[in-house]
Amino acid sequence: MTDNWEHDSGEATAERAGHAVTKKNGATTGGRSIVIKGGTVVNRGGAARADVLVVDGLVSAVGEDLTGDEILDAAGCHVSSGFVDLHAHLREPGREEAETITTGTRAAALGGYTAVVAMPNTEPAQDCPEVVAFVKARAAEAGWCDVHPAGCITVGRLGKVLAAFETLASVGVRIFTDDGNGVQDPLIMRRALEYSRHLGITLAQHCEVARLTEGAVMHEGQCCSAMGVPGWPAIAEELMLHRDIELVRLTGAPMHFLHLSTAGSVDLVRRAKADGLPVTAEVAPHHLALTDELLRGFDPVFKVNPPLRTAADIAALRAGLLDGTIDAVATDHAPHAHHTKQMPLDSAPPGMLGLETALGVVLTAVSPDPVRVVETMSWNPARIAGIGAEHGRPVARGEPANLAVWDSSRVWTVDRASLASKSRNTPFHGMELRGRNVHTLLRGRVTVRDGIAQESGDARSIGSGGGR
Ligand code: DOR
């Protein structure tokens, strides 16, 4: 895959894609009513045809032949609670050349998300209330979706000293991780779990025994042997997962496992759940769809941590997602500036974009029923993130109107140049996906209409593309 475009700002990307770029505030429809018309509403009981009336930020009715001041056409679409991403790298503060909170959350809204958990591997790291407050303020100013910063488990994500959980919890942090790094020291992890239990927070582990992945570039297997590059063995993930499941058994504290990528990991989580342990797990869309064979061309766009694995791993992950072993699809949206992904495979950073393609990849690669889509992309992640009072709610009268309207049969070809993210490192460029988000509402305000990001409900396309 060759790149023949220049790196540019997110605003320019949005311009090409026809997305509005100016900011918007206000969380309600200002008394105006919106009817989402002709869609199929997805709730726990199943999917049923109904219109949805939204007034002043809330769902005010679900039923037939509803009318309102404004109509959002949902014919042929599903209407559900907005998606919640447990795992997004928004890069601000520190690496704004790759993404900003504005560009990342705009991409999230376009993907159907109304809330994202922002990973703490920012610079400085999200290990203190000041950085958390900064991220929240920038997100509120941008207004595309709710952002819940994850706190660090250890100071600076260095694995040595526990972060101030209580202080961070007091400013609303509910989920803690050193993502990008696994917590290597079992004593630190044990203590972290013991404290977390008392505080009612959840720890999320990036499972990787670092000693086993030193210098690793891709999955350890036939493909990496043939290419002659160092491999990242499945055991490096599974060993830490096994250790932490046992620490959960010891402490009784809940734990969430990030971006699981191997068949062995699915088995470990399945057994832990059968034992009644309070564990949850997520899978990233790319691990459901792409294999390590894609690395044969040495293209760093396919480099990610944990790495793309084998067809057998994909089959196990898909099965785990469908049978409930894996609770959530989380994007691990990891933007990287163009010049960094142009480096040789061994020195390029790992990571892939995910927010705008997640729904399409899940529908194309796994094809779950709509209820399972919403369960794994909205209800379960909202609960795991501790934001279930606002997000992942039923589409029902009186509930917050945080909604996604998506077309599961729309076929589209991913074009990295038209994504809203500031970076271009999508592994799905040129691939055809079936399923795309169409409209998104955040507390009743239309953030995305007909696939175009909005300002205060008024489409203001500034580019030539005119959206989708
Ligand atoms: O591929 C990855 N990229 N995996 C991680 O755990 C971190 C992420 C990043 O921050 O780029």
Side-chain angles (χ1 to χ4, degrees):
M1 191 176 289
T2 55
D3 293 318
N4 54 8
W5 37 263
E6 295 297 313
H7 181 70
D8 67 9
S9 73
E11 311 292 62
T13 307
E15 186 170 345
R16 273 199 311 280
H19 304 319
V21 297
T22 48
K23 298 192 177 69
K24 63 250 141 279
N25 278 306
T28 74
T29 55
R32 278 171 62 80
S33 55
I34 299 174
V35 182
I36 305 171
K37 201 139 195 70
T40 299
V41 172
V42 185
N43 275 318
R44 285 187 194 276
R49 289 290 297 274
D51 298 341
V52 178
L53 180 66
V54 173
V55 182
D56 283 338
L58 299 176
V59 173
S60 81
V62 178
E64 281 180 31
D65 298 326
L66 301 179
T67 53
D69 300 322
E70 190 183 335
I71 301 226
L72 280 181
D73 182 9
C77 294
H78 290 101
V79 182
S80 70
S81 52
F83 302 135
V84 175
D85 189 14
L86 282 167
H87 196 144
H89 297 272
L90 300 180
R91 301 297 190 221
E92 190 179 356
R95 277 195 280 157
E96 294 82 355
E97 73 282 8
E99 194 77 286
T100 65
I101 289 167
T102 299
T103 59
T105 54
R106 183 192 299 129
L110 284 162
Y113 291 90
T114 52
V116 303
V117 174
M119 287 293 108
N121 58 340
T122 49
E123 294 163 21
Q126 289 168 191
D127 62 3
C128 60
E130 291 80 3
V131 180
V132 167
F134 169 83
V135 171
K136 281 189 180 173
R138 291 304 282 255
E141 193 188 358
W144 292 107
C145 72
D146 288 351
V147 173
H148 296 273
C152 297
I153 294 176
T154 66
V155 174
R157 300 171 46 253
L158 296 173
K160 302 288 181 209
V161 177
L162 285 185
F165 290 172
E166 193 159 3
T167 311
L168 288 162
S170 74
V171 295
V173 178
R174 289 286 166 270
I175 193 156
F176 289 70
T177 178
D178 278 358
D179 183 56
N181 297 335
V183 177
Q184 304 297 315
D185 183 336
L187 179 60
I188 293 266
M189 205 43 163
R190 177 184 176 177
R191 294 285 178 256
L193 282 163
E194 284 163 344
Y195 287 124
S196 72
R197 187 160 174 232
H198 286 288
L199 293 167
I201 58 176
T202 298
L203 302 187
Q205 178 69 297
H206 166 120
C207 294
E208 176 181 358
V209 175
R211 192 84 173 95
L212 289 170
T213 64
E214 279 169 16
V217 167
M218 61 181 287
H219 172 64
E220 181 180 291
Q222 283 179 0
C223 195
C224 99
S225 302
M227 291 166 62
V229 299
W232 199 126
I235 192 76
E237 175 172 304
E238 293 156 6
L239 211 53
M240 188 171 281
L241 176 60
H242 176 70
R243 181 199 77 180
D244 286 357
I245 286 171
E246 294 311 312
L247 288 174
V248 167
R249 199 187 306 275
L250 179 76
T251 61
M255 193 157 189
H256 178 67
F257 295 108
L258 301 166
H259 50 44
L260 294 183
S261 67
T262 76
S265 292
V266 178
D267 276 348
L268 284 165
V269 173
R270 191 176 282 121
R271 277 188 266 145
K273 286 190 167 184
D275 287 350
L277 298 180
V279 297
T280 53
E282 67 180 42
V283 62
H286 44 264
H287 288 129
L288 291 167
L290 308 176
T291 70
D292 59 342
E293 291 291 328
L294 287 164
L295 272 302
R296 281 195 189 271
F298 290 86
D299 186 341
V301 81
F302 298 113
K303 183 177 177 183
V304 66
N305 185 15
L308 300 181
R309 305 274 186 194
T310 65
D313 294 305
I314 289 182
L317 290 162
R318 289 178 183 170
L321 188 72
L322 291 174
D323 72 14
T325 301
I326 295 183
D327 302 87
V329 174
T331 67
D332 198 358
H333 178 83
H336 287 289
H338 181 54
H339 67 276
T340 65
K341 278 292 198 182
Q342 291 298 98
M343 297 190 320
L345 190 58
D346 57 351
S347 39
M352 301 174 162
L353 301 185
L355 286 165
E356 292 169 84
T357 47
L359 176 68
V361 173
V362 168
L363 288 169
T364 308
V366 188
S367 195
D369 68 62
V371 173
R372 189 72 187 136
V373 170
V374 183
E375 197 168 26
T376 55
M377 294 188 64
S378 180
W379 304 329
N380 288 349
R383 175 177 44 81
I384 293 165
I387 57 171
E390 270 270 326
H391 294 273
R393 304 292 308 167
V395 182
R397 183 181 160 81
E399 295 289 351
N402 295 320
L403 302 169
V405 180
W406 38 284
D407 183 345
S408 53
S409 57
R410 185 166 311 182
V411 175
W412 60 293
T413 302
V414 179
D415 174 6
R416 65 186 159 220
S418 62
L419 296 178
S421 174
K422 198 167 178 178
S423 291
R424 301 289 183 279
N425 52 309
T426 173
F428 299 105
H429 176 71
M431 294 185 199
E432 199 170 80
L433 299 180
R434 178 181 291 271
R436 193 164 197 182
N437 184 63
V438 178
H439 315 298
T440 312
L441 288 86
L442 179 65
R443 283 181 283 282
R445 180 165 51 77
V446 181
T447 55
V448 173
R449 175 195 280 270
D450 294 322
I452 299 176
Q454 304 290 297
E455 179 190 4
S456 303
D458 299 314
R460 192 177 72 84
S461 169
I462 60 162
S464 53
R468 296 169 186 169

